[in-house]
Amino acid sequence: MKIQKRTIALCLYFGILILPIYWMLNMSLRTNADILGDFALYPADITFQNYVKIFTDPTWYTAYINAIIYVSMNTVMSLAFALPAAYAFSRFKFIGDGQMFFWLLTNRMAPPAVFLLPYLQLYSTFKLMDTHIAVALAHCLFNVPLSVWILEGFMSGIPKEIDETAFIDGYSFPRFFITIFIPLIRAGVGVTAFFCFMFSWVELLFARTLTITEAKPIVATMTRTISATGLDWGLLAAAGVLTIVPGGLVIWFVRNHLAKGFALGRV
Amino acid sequence: MDKWEDNKAWFLVLPAFIIVAFSGIIPLMTVVNYSLQDIFGPGQAVFVGTEWFKEMLSNNRLHDALWRQFIFSGLVLLIEIPLGIIIALAMPKRGWGVSASLVILALPLVIPWNVIGTIWIIFTRPDIGLFGVWINGLDLLEVPFDHTAKPIYAWITLMAMEVWHWTPLVALLAYAGLRAIPEAYYQAAKIDGASAWATFLYIQLPKMRGVLTIAVLLRWMDSFLIYAEPFALTGGGPGNTTTFLSIYLVKLATMQFDLGPAAAFSIIYFLIVLLFSFAFYQALLNVGRGDKA
């Protein structure tokens, strides 16, 4: 009886969790006139015109493509830079290792707003403004430290004897690292990639400031739409629903590693 | 695990160091540079020493934003941590329910932060929002609910959004901590005839200490840096009642172009955060030690 009460409470909580998302979905399936004219708990006449508009209007759909491009770039970059560093932290003692690890973490904790102004200058100087690489680089500020942190946790779970055996067997370091070590921690790599994706995908401030038109991501397009035109709630809701889809897919793929990743990864 | 002592490991850390330094150190130096000068235009700058710092430290709007920030972050912890633990305790331990729960919990975490704001605008508006229409339909409030009308409504909406958005993270962390407790502990508790409350107090809570420390500090830090959600939901209003540190800083830097004061503010802000980061790091190290002992 007790367990059932618990389950009911949990379902209730999940219901509340889903409700605002459902409400946005509801809005996205109605026309703006319908939304403003008539309050309804579910869309009576389902219309996909908001979605059609997004998929046919280049300013909308390129914004999605832009976001996906820089998020993917950032994920690959973060992993590529963090893997060797995490290995060093998990296996070696070296001068300044503790300080270095802490310094990396402070970048994860730094308020992005602090870096806003200099980024404008820095990226203008390097002619990187309004490119995908600019946003991907900026997001490395918090994603590389985060990746090092998570990966170090996973790597420390692998006994050092494996490394030693491989080196005795004559493996060179790069070959050992790529063909033996990385496959051993692939769950960790997956979880890390998930968090890189997540934090890059949800970030607004850098993404909005470092892009003008060419690389403008969906989150920036949405905030500009709010301020620019008279509000089209249906369209805004549809754009919002579409931003949840990639995240939802990624969660689905890593769902079995998620709990372990949170514990080991120490996010 | 004993580590190899070898300073050549620096070569492995170097790429990560360079990329983070490019995004982290160079910009920070620029901020320091700005904070010490009065900039009139390109090439026209006068060294002013610590004047901007003095100005910002005695700035009432900064003080207000800082207090607001502390209250906000404090409330976040008070609500989210206990709620997250309760949810984690109620979650199923095996079967298909585990995957389903994890997926639902993780969903708010991958929604872009400004979309979170949009969702809550749509959800709470008095004309089209489910919550707004419902609460006004009850006719209990003297002033109809509208998060742009009264500061208290703006705060309630903001807190609801924040709790909705981030409690799942606490729950996921707490759940991960719970899953790591060996079954033997529960069996021992059962043999001793421990109540559910005693089991929680003497087994589950101490065993969750590590993940909960992470959860507390992570939520404290991140709520301290909050920008996009209040920006999208309230824009810092009504008035300045929901203007937190980041929002005020961005206003100062990109709308008024007060580079000097903004830079001085940035450094003060950064130092406050750095102080917490250090406490965070120390706490983490101690948690690690506690587990081994």
Side-chain angles (χ1 to χ4, degrees):
Chain A
M1 203 49 219
K2 202 175 113 213
I3 288 164
Q4 275 181 348
K5 242 190 237 163
R6 214 189 242 187
T7 313
I8 291 166
L10 193 68
C11 288
L12 205 67
Y13 171 73
F14 286 154
I16 295 169
L17 210 57
I18 296 293
L19 203 58
I21 301 176
Y22 162 73
W23 196 248
M24 186 163 74
L25 186 69
N26 173 10
M27 293 283 141
S28 74
L29 295 171
R30 302 166 62 186
T31 65
N32 203 40
D34 184 23
I35 292 168
L36 292 173
D38 179 31
F39 183 80
L41 289 178
Y42 56 91
D45 309 303
I46 290 181
T47 166
F48 289 99
Q49 70 164 56
N50 297 316
Y51 291 96
V52 171
K53 173 127 197 258
I54 287 171
F55 282 116
T56 52
D57 183 348
T59 54
W60 281 106
Y61 69 77
T62 52
Y64 280 100
I65 298 169
N66 286 335
I68 289 170
I69 290 175
Y70 75 67
V71 169
S72 319
M73 276 164 83
N74 173 266
T75 307
V76 172
M77 278 162 70
S78 301
L79 280 175
F81 288 110
L83 274 168
Y87 183 79
F89 284 120
S90 83
R91 293 303 197 245
F92 293 103
K93 230 186 229 160
F94 49 94
I95 295 174
D97 52 355
Q99 286 83 346
M100 185 68 195
F101 202 69
F102 174 62
W103 173 75
L104 274 176
L105 281 184
T106 59
N107 288 293
R108 166 69 181 80
M109 306 303 173
V114 167
F115 292 101
L116 202 61
L117 267 181
Y119 272 18
L120 281 172
Q121 279 212 325
L122 185 68
Y123 288 104
S124 305
T125 313
F126 283 89
K127 301 261 182 299
L128 285 173
M129 275 303 280
D130 206 17
T131 58
H132 301 107
I133 191 86
V135 185
L137 257 176
H139 285 176
C140 279
L141 176 71
F142 44 81
N143 271 351
V144 169
L146 184 77
S147 307
V148 172
W149 198 21
I150 300 176
L151 286 171
E152 199 265 340
F154 275 94
M155 286 178 180
S156 296
I158 307 278
K160 220 171 56 170
E161 284 69 27
I162 289 181
D163 308 32
E164 281 162 353
T165 318
F167 294 139
I168 290 167
D169 286 349
Y171 275 84
S172 68
F173 175 71
R175 191 160 154 239
F176 155 74
F177 198 65
I178 293 163
T179 60
I180 298 179
F181 198 68
I182 291 182
L184 276 177
I185 52 155
R186 59 179 183 277
V189 174
V191 170
T192 313
F194 166 74
F195 282 108
C196 288
F197 167 89
M198 167 182 145
F199 281 110
S200 184
W201 180 255
V202 299
E203 207 275 339
L204 167 75
L205 198 53
F206 290 154
R208 194 180 49 148
T209 316
L210 297 176
T211 57
I212 305 157
T213 49
E214 288 298 310
K216 188 160 77 169
I218 181 65
V219 285
T221 309
M222 281 181 71
T223 57
R224 277 168 209 174
T225 314
I226 292 177
S227 50
T229 54
L231 278 170
D232 185 340
W233 293 111
L235 191 63
L236 196 65
V241 169
L242 288 176
T243 62
I244 305 179
V245 173
L249 284 176
V250 173
I251 295 176
W252 186 253
F253 284 122
V254 297
R255 67 188 184 283
N256 293 326
H257 298 301
L258 218 53
K260 196 184 164 208
F262 270 102
L264 257 180
R266 308 171 302 186
V267 176
Chain B
M1 185 162 59
D2 290 332
K3 291 179 180 179
W4 296 312
E5 269 186 58
D6 192 344
N7 285 325
K8 282 199 208 100
W10 261 102
F11 288 111
L12 294 171
V13 183
L14 210 57
F17 174 74
I18 290 170
I19 192 124
V20 179
F22 180 76
S23 320
I25 293 181
I26 301 175
L28 203 60
M29 289 301 107
T30 321
V31 176
V32 173
N33 194 12
Y34 282 154
S35 71
L36 301 173
Q37 301 183 47
D38 197 350
I39 297 163
F40 303 111
Q44 289 178 296
V46 177
F47 184 78
V48 294
T50 55
E51 195 181 305
W52 296 132
F53 285 93
K54 283 179 196 143
E55 191 185 311
M56 284 322 289
L57 283 174
S58 58
N59 181 328
N60 279 331
R61 293 183 60 191
L62 176 68
H63 293 172
D64 292 348
L66 190 62
W67 274 118
R68 243 173 255 138
Q69 189 72 66
F70 273 112
I71 294 169
F72 179 75
S73 296
L75 281 175
V76 161
L77 288 187
L78 276 179
I79 301 172
E80 288 181 9
I81 300 294
L83 193 60
I85 295 174
I86 292 170
I87 294 161
L89 287 172
M91 270 168 66
K93 286 169 189 63
R94 57 188 71 80
W96 61 270
V98 177
S99 282
S101 306
L102 289 178
V103 170
I104 294 174
L105 275 179
L107 202 56
L109 301 175
V110 294
I111 302 174
W113 293 339
N114 67 311
V115 177
I116 299 274
T118 309
I119 288 177
W120 279 82
I121 292 175
I122 293 175
F123 189 61
T124 57
R125 270 183 70 99
D127 54 348
I128 60 169
L130 181 60
F131 179 77
V133 169
W134 172 73
I135 195 100
N136 286 336
L138 292 181
D139 216 14
L140 294 170
L141 303 165
E142 276 177 40
V143 183
F145 186 87
D146 179 356
H147 69 76
T148 57
K150 271 180 84 173
I152 182 76
Y153 293 160
W155 269 80
I156 290 171
T157 317
L158 210 55
M159 283 312 299
M161 175 178 73
E162 170 66 32
V163 169
W164 178 84
H165 186 188
W166 286 111
T167 305
L169 179 76
V170 180
L172 282 172
L173 280 167
Y175 184 71
L178 280 177
R179 303 303 321 129
I181 302 174
E183 195 56 36
Y185 281 76
Y186 293 113
Q187 284 161 2
K190 214 174 198 173
I191 291 165
D192 287 349
S195 66
W197 174 242
T199 313
F200 171 72
L201 212 56
Y202 297 110
I203 294 176
Q204 292 171 321
L205 204 55
K207 280 282 164 191
M208 279 196 289
R209 208 185 63 182
V211 282
L212 285 182
T213 313
I214 296 168
V216 167
L217 293 158
L218 208 60
R219 282 318 303 137
W220 174 262
M221 307 294 328
D222 283 351
S223 64
F224 220 80
L225 312 181
I226 192 166
Y227 173 77
E229 299 97 316
F231 170 79
L233 184 70
T234 64
N240 278 321
T241 46
T242 54
T243 300
F244 300 112
L245 287 174
S246 279
I247 293 182
Y248 184 42
L249 178 56
V250 173
K251 261 187 199 166
L252 207 61
T254 62
M255 289 175 202
Q256 305 175 10
F257 284 103
D258 290 335
L259 294 190
F265 178 7
S266 295
I267 290 172
I268 297 167
Y269 191 1
F270 189 62
L271 286 179
I272 295 174
V273 172
L274 204 63
L275 203 68
F276 286 125
S277 303
F278 188 66
F280 181 11
Y281 189 61
Q282 290 303 320
L284 269 183
L285 285 184
N286 288 333
V287 165
R289 253 180 237 134
D291 284 353
K292 270 167 211 157

